[in-house]
Amino acid sequence: MMKNIRKLNNYIITENTMVIKHFGESTYKSWIYERHTEYLCQQTPEEILDESCKRKGITTYDGRKKAVADVLRSKTKLPIPIEINSHSIFMPTTMKQRDRCDWFSYQYALDIKPSAKGDFFKTIVLTNRKEVDLEITVSTYKKQMQHAGSLIGYFNKKDDIS
């Protein structure tokens, strides 16, 4: 299984990025699922998000988090928009302070179902029918999908001119 996975020093989120998971090895910190490829990366998921935010929108992860907190009037488990026009919004599975906060893309999440890994995990079904086990509850998944939809609506609405 591991022989087909490419190894990278760093990574920028693309339109093909579906999931960024923490990976427990000492050299590689993230396991990245794209539509047709998987990668191991030396950056943590949070470093990937921060660098992608800077590259795609001239602001940091923290800057986008603050904007999202203002829009959603929430403070925890905030989705992070990378490119709002393409619905590239990444949603955390747990609070960021936890060691195992994984991130999945709104545009590629299709469904959630029970996981064979136990009660604390669920299987996220992606639009390409790939299944990934993540530490997330059904209620958190539903809330994240609603938050992402709200962000898309907020950032894509036309300003009223009076």
Side-chain angles (χ1 to χ4, degrees), residues 88-137:
S88 181
I89 299 172
F90 279 78
M91 302 174 291
T93 57
T94 63
M95 292 176 54
K96 185 179 168 242
Q97 296 83 349
R98 302 244 343 249
D99 290 338
R100 289 215 29 94
C101 180
D102 299 323
W103 296 78
F104 65 101
S105 171
Y106 170 79
Q107 76 185 61
Y108 290 112
L110 184 63
D111 199 6
I112 186 169
K113 63 184 191 178
S115 169
K117 288 183 103 174
D119 291 340
F120 295 108
F121 288 85
K122 297 293 178 259
T123 299
I124 303 292
V125 181
L126 303 169
T127 54
N128 67 352
R129 300 296 183 207
K130 183 165 191 62
E131 297 183 356
V132 180
D133 287 329
L134 299 176
E135 187 177 343
I136 189 170
T137 64

Side-chain angles (χ1 to χ4, degrees), residues 22 44-45 47 61 68 73 77 93 110 132 149:
H22 271 279
T44 66
E47 290 169 337
Y61 166 89
V68 168
R73 293 183 180 102
K77 298 182 194 172
T93 57
L110 184 63
V132 180

